[in-house]
Amino acid sequence: MTQTPERRKLLPMLGHVKGKRSPLTCELKCGSQCMNPDCNQSGNEYAHDIISAAVSRRSALGLGLAGALTVGAVAGAAEPANASYAYWGKGRSRLDFTPIKPVGMTVDDFNVPENYDWSPIIRWGDPLFYDAPEFDPKNQTPESQSKQFGFNADYLDIIPDPNGLTGVLVNNHEYTNENTMFPTGEQEKNLANVVRTAMAAHGMSVVEITRTKVGEPWSYVRGGARNRRITLSTPFVVDGPAAGSDLLKTQDDPTGKRVAGTQNNCSGGVTPWGTVLSGEENVHQYFITSGTSEEKRYGFPTTMPSRRWPEVEKRFDARIEGYKNEPNRFGWIVEIDPQNPNSAPVKHTSLGRFKHEGANVHVGDDGTVVAYSGDDEKFEYIYKFVSSRKYKEGDKRHNMKLLSEGDLYVAKLTGNSPKGQITGDGTLPADGEFDGSGEWLPLIKGGKSMIKDMAVDEVLVYTRLAADKVGATKMDRPEDVEPNPHTGKVYVALTNNSDRGKPGFAPVDEANPRTGNRDGYVLEFTERHGRVNSTRFNWNLLLVCGDPTKDSGTYFGGYPKEKVSPISCPDNVAFDRAGNLWISTDGAPSKIGYNDALFKVGLTGSERGRVQQFLSVPQDAETCGPVVHDNEDMVYVAVQHPGEDGSFEEPRSYFPDYVLPTRAGEGEFSMPRPAVVQVFKLERDKDPEFPGGVSDKPGKGHGRGKRRKNGPKGPKYRGYRGKSNPDTRNRARRARRSYEDWSFQDSGGEGNITRPLPKR
């Protein structure tokens, strides 16, 4: 059911976005979901509707599925301390820095504090295997991309081996920017190649890394024994109560227990047993559906998506009888073992299906394991999973089954201030805080559905509908939900919600107190009695974000506003050895006008609420996946969609190589490439040591059995500070947005915008 290129849906947010938020970002990241009716039409109570007694404050491809894969851990493997916080332990943070000033949103540079430098570890297109071709942006194929580092880097972790000299890097690839990946017109000339290459650029990468000395920067290993690309062709095992459900069966998989691939992998987390969890988020935007009530609740469209995957891969057309359940097979938490490239990744149905930003695990004092997760869309919910089995230290095989069976809850938050004190402009209520209590409402408990007229598999496949029925609290885009490994307190990044308080939408409440919330909040909550399986919690808003020099309705945990860095649109969170919170942002240019960034936030004592900016990413980019190894003075981030509004021919970013076409050396490219970046402290007496890219492929003669360098085509492995120069910055600043000279017309119906061919 092919649509002509001239009539396909594209950029419906053009003319509707506010500030400097790009309509192209809206289309490519989530299919311009905001232009569709609010998915959550439930009439749930809001946090201000029930006022509790005051509580004490601060007291969670049509593809074959055969393959030589095994489920479970490597036989006999001991459980390493793989999570970042477990590897580095607790203690005083030695990562001292002077906060940088905010960087304007038209600056194409990666900025770090004085006495720090940065370098990419790996970039989109860098080859991972011996037989992987070198990156060639003008001749991309699905075959080459499936063996190279994927596109838009999101969730990140750096997992060192016990020796500290080797390890693995794990990264999610959330979505693709075809406008910067391919020459203009390539999609029209060769749709199948573009679509399948983009499919191969989604998913995840596992990459071995190495360094010459503990505390020095890393290089990636081409041909590393653990290197792996996980894409939309990778076989996944479905586990948990919904495995085998009729709601998951398709003509390619009549068992409902095998799924080809993963997509839109956003955030995630490392488990205490050394595996990685990844959340499938905006999966709706690749399908065309019949428009059932369940599909509408999840935002699935009834028109051809702009990437046109259903025209190439029929399983993405859910109107076909044999594929009507294919959308139900995405939107889960997946688990992979980065130490075993032959293991089968798993989709966990026990954690429910929605637009998972990610999932993060915490182990209670009694061994009970919980996983927290946010549903990243306006007016959606916060969830908690409680495992029925206990964690066993050192038993990886047992622990990898902990997320297969347990209870699922959704959060209801209640404010403790009278409704009239929540004014919508950020003014604090009389008690001086936005705070209250909360309850975990059961959806699945003891293996049984707690929802009338919904079976267990229906609750897990249509979790949003189940949460609607129990009256969960509508939140302002709950993204990363992560427990502090030092205290057990849970921090939620509530990114923004410009529709909050508008006519026809949910009004403000104490947990979501700002009308037209475009800067976001950070929510802190504490499980009652310190028990991870408690059904009650206390909460407060740690941050009401924004630029305090321009907005009086901000709040920074009581810290003086004039002494903080402005922050907007919190997205991902992390923690350092001292238990400080680190926040990366997504969308800051849309409100405060600065490039997205990474911030350190104090949580205790006189430092509580103190926000300090550590770095900023280039023009049009988003800061993702922060990792803080502060006892080595190392910080890592993933830089997603640099120069997103530009085009292949006219880039709006030159990150990370920062060279013009006439000056590009071997392995350098004059175009934006999403990348994983390491930030390291400069020693006054020496430069950092880089081994260069290395390969596990043995050399010959005297080099037999030894690792050898890949050659000059990888990142240059030196400090990149100052590599962005006036020529590249000016050229990026002057570049047109890729959609500036297109003509648009209203197609009528559902706010759809159609794009005639560009007027060039």
Side-chain angles (χ1 to χ4, degrees):
M1 302 193 61
T2 302
Q3 293 185 348
T4 61
E6 292 80 2
R7 297 297 299 173
R8 80 173 179 275
K9 174 183 176 183
L10 192 68
L11 297 189
M13 290 294 288
L14 188 71
H16 294 271
V17 290
K18 296 183 177 181
K20 298 297 180 181
R21 183 68 173 184
S22 167
L24 189 60
T25 300
C26 297
E27 176 63 19
L28 297 177
K29 193 176 186 72
C30 65
S32 300
Q33 189 64 44
C34 291
M35 281 301 295
N36 296 317
D38 180 11
C39 289
N40 190 347
Q41 297 293 318
S42 66
N44 291 352
E45 295 174 320
Y46 310 115
H48 69 257
D49 291 331
I50 301 176
I51 306 302
S52 67
V55 295
S56 81
R57 285 171 280 181
R58 314 198 203 332
S59 326
L61 292 161
L63 296 157
L65 290 173
L69 298 172
T70 59
V71 180
V74 179
E79 182 172 306
N82 273 329
S84 292
Y85 63 83
Y87 183 87
W88 298 113
K90 301 178 182 180
R92 180 181 176 274
S93 176
R94 55 176 277 190
L95 203 158
D96 297 320
F97 65 95
T98 300
I100 70 170
K101 294 181 180 180
V103 177
M105 64 187 180
T106 60
V107 176
D108 183 34
D109 199 357
F110 189 98
N111 291 271
V112 296
E114 290 295 326
N115 300 319
Y116 284 85
D117 208 335
W118 68 276
S119 175
I121 301 177
I122 192 166
R123 309 159 296 178
W124 163 52
D126 281 335
L128 301 188
F129 308 99
Y130 305 138
D131 59 348
E134 299 294 338
F135 180 58
D136 182 354
K138 294 183 178 180
N139 294 284
Q140 298 179 70
T141 67
E143 293 75 22
S144 62
Q145 178 63 87
S146 66
K147 297 179 179 181
Q148 297 167 337
F149 193 68
F151 202 72
N152 273 335
D154 202 299
Y155 165 75
L156 168 68
D157 217 302
I158 303 293
I159 306 174
D161 296 327
N163 64 15
L165 298 178
T166 58
V168 292
L169 176 157
V170 183
N171 191 224
N172 287 351
H173 305 295
E174 185 180 6
Y175 68 97
T176 47
N177 292 81
E178 283 78 357
N179 56 303
T180 61
M181 291 175 68
F182 301 98
T184 299
E186 187 69 17
Q187 189 179 44
E188 311 306 330
K189 296 175 185 176
N190 196 346
L191 177 63
N193 184 69
V194 168
V195 167
R196 294 195 183 279
T197 300
M199 286 181 176
H202 283 67
M204 306 175 70
S205 291
V206 180
V207 189
E208 285 200 351
I209 51 177
T210 187
R211 57 186 175 180
T212 56
K213 186 186 300 183
V214 172
E216 295 292 346
W218 299 91
S219 303
Y220 90 91
V221 180
R222 183 174 181 173
R226 290 171 286 184
N227 286 8
R228 188 179 190 183
R229 278 302 321 280
I230 296 172
T231 69
L232 275 155
S233 64
T234 303
F236 276 73
V237 174
V238 182
D239 87 341
S245 165
D246 288 344
L247 296 173
L248 297 180
K249 295 177 180 177
T250 68
Q251 68 181 45
D252 292 337
D253 172 32
T255 70
K257 295 182 178 180
R258 298 286 187 272
V259 175
T262 186
Q263 63 182 20
N264 290 99
N265 301 78
C266 197
S267 190
V270 178
T271 67
W273 48 94
T275 61
V276 168
L277 304 181
S278 174
E280 297 179 326
E281 191 188 36
N282 290 306
V283 301
H284 66 286
Q285 60 178 311
Y286 298 93
F287 290 86
I288 184 169
T289 67
S290 300
T292 66
S293 58
E294 293 85 0
E295 290 165 347
K296 289 179 180 178
R297 182 64 183 86
Y298 280 77
F300 284 93
T302 57
T303 56
M304 184 62 66
S306 60
R307 288 186 178 88
R308 300 165 64 188
W309 284 16
E311 297 182 35
V312 175
E313 191 67 49
K314 62 182 179 180
R315 65 175 169 140
F316 292 100
D317 190 340
R319 300 169 302 177
I320 300 173
E321 179 60 28
Y323 294 107
K324 67 178 182 179
N325 289 331
E326 190 69 22
N328 296 342
R329 293 150 66 82
F330 296 90
W332 303 99
I333 290 295
V334 304
E335 183 175 14
I336 70 164
D337 183 358
Q339 308 301 333
N340 183 2
N342 295 316
S343 61
V346 177
K347 296 201 176 191
H348 287 298
T349 63
S350 286
L351 277 69
R353 172 177 164 266
F354 43 89
K355 294 181 181 179
H356 283 276
E357 171 75 11
N360 288 278
V361 165
H362 193 60
V363 180
D365 293 337
D366 65 349
T368 299
V369 171
V370 298
Y372 297 97
S373 202
D375 188 348
D376 183 11
E377 194 168 317
K378 294 186 294 186
F379 304 114
E380 293 301 339
Y381 308 130
I382 301 168
Y383 296 85
K384 178 173 80 168
F385 168 83
V386 181
S387 178
S388 18
R389 287 183 266 193
K390 304 288 187 179
Y391 173 77
K392 294 182 180 180
E393 182 73 30
D395 191 342
K396 187 174 182 179
R397 187 182 299 278
H398 167 82
N399 293 332
M400 286 185 70
K401 300 176 182 177
L402 290 174
L403 303 183
S404 302
E405 182 182 340
D407 301 333
L408 184 63
Y409 299 87
V410 66
K412 182 173 184 176
L413 284 74
T414 301
N416 66 0
S417 299
K419 179 178 178 180
Q421 293 185 10
I422 309 302
T423 60
D425 61 1
T427 300
L428 291 170
D431 67 359
E433 276 195 286
F434 297 113
D435 62 350
S437 60
E439 179 181 2
W440 290 112
L441 307 174
L443 303 177
I444 299 289
K445 191 170 179 63
K448 297 180 180 180
S449 169
M450 297 290 101
I451 311 301
K452 184 179 179 181
D453 299 325
M454 292 185 76
V456 169
D457 62 339
E458 292 175 313
V459 171
L460 296 176
V461 174
Y462 302 128
T463 309
R464 281 184 168 182
L465 280 76
D468 292 343
K469 291 188 176 184
V470 298
T473 299
K474 295 181 176 182
M475 304 298 292
D476 286 357
R477 284 190 61 198
E479 296 213 39
D480 221 358
V481 185
E482 192 158 339
N484 187 326
H486 303 267
T487 65
K489 291 179 181 287
V490 181
Y491 294 83
V492 186
L494 300 166
T495 298
N496 53 42
N497 183 354
S498 59
D499 287 333
R500 173 68 67 172
K502 289 183 177 179
F505 294 93
V508 295
D509 56 48
E510 193 159 351
N512 304 275
R514 297 204 67 178
T515 300
N517 168 28
R518 289 171 55 200
D519 285 312
Y521 318 117
V522 175
L523 172 72
E524 175 188 74
F525 67 82
T526 308
E527 300 281 17
R528 290 278 180 92
H529 310 297
R531 298 198 325 265
V532 296
N533 59 351
S534 175
T535 58
R536 301 275 180 174
F537 58 90
N538 298 333
W539 66 266
N540 68 85
L541 291 185
L542 170 70
L543 302 180
V544 177
C545 299
D547 186 343
T549 66
K550 303 173 184 176
D551 186 350
S552 62
T554 55
Y555 174 71
F556 297 90
Y559 197 83
K561 296 182 181 183
E562 66 276 9
K563 297 182 180 181
V564 303
S565 300
I567 180 173
S568 180
C569 304
D571 187 352
N572 301 139
V573 302
F575 301 92
D576 60 25
R577 294 176 71 245
N580 295 302
L581 179 69
W582 290 71
I583 302 173
S584 63
T585 65
D586 171 20
S590 66
K591 180 63 188 290
I592 61 176
Y594 300 123
N595 278 341
D596 278 313
L598 177 66
F599 302 83
K600 175 185 174 182
V601 184
L603 296 178
T604 59
S606 62
E607 292 292 289
R608 180 174 172 83
R610 184 186 181 190
V611 178
Q612 302 176 79
Q613 183 168 343
F614 181 76
L615 61 78
S616 70
V617 295
Q619 176 172 257
D620 295 351
E622 169 188 348
T623 319
C624 296
V627 177
V628 182
H629 291 172
D630 49 327
N631 73 332
E632 291 191 345
D633 288 317
M634 298 285 287
V635 174
Y636 309 86
V637 293
V639 178
Q640 189 179 112
H641 57 76
E644 181 164 55
D645 279 357
S647 63
F648 188 90
E649 294 78 14
E650 195 168 352
R652 276 175 52 85
S653 177
Y654 293 87
F655 170 88
D657 296 342
Y658 287 117
V659 291
L660 296 177
T662 56
R663 302 176 189 171
E666 187 175 15
E668 295 182 323
F669 294 90
S670 185
M671 64 184 301
R673 298 173 72 182
V676 171
V677 168
Q678 55 194 339
V679 180
F680 46 89
K681 196 165 189 178
L682 293 173
E683 300 291 344
R684 287 182 296 178
D685 299 329
K686 64 175 183 176
D687 293 326
E689 297 180 21
F690 290 93
V694 297
S695 172
D696 277 341
K697 189 174 181 180
K700 299 178 181 180
H702 295 296
R704 186 181 302 275
K706 296 181 180 180
R707 289 182 169 185
R708 66 179 188 180
K709 292 187 177 182
N710 279 332
K713 295 187 178 180
K716 295 304 180 184
Y717 300 103
R718 57 178 171 75
Y720 274 45
R721 182 171 184 145
K723 192 166 188 188
S724 171
N725 55 72
D727 288 341
T728 57
R729 289 196 296 271
N730 290 336
R731 190 159 175 168
R733 184 180 291 110
R734 293 195 305 266
R736 294 178 300 173
R737 290 180 168 85
S738 60
Y739 52 86
E740 280 183 350
D741 53 358
W742 293 351
S743 62
F744 290 78
Q745 63 188 49
D746 191 343
S747 64
E750 300 185 358
N752 211 11
I753 303 295
T754 60
R755 170 200 158 192
L757 292 176
K759 297 187 299 183
R760 291 186 176 176

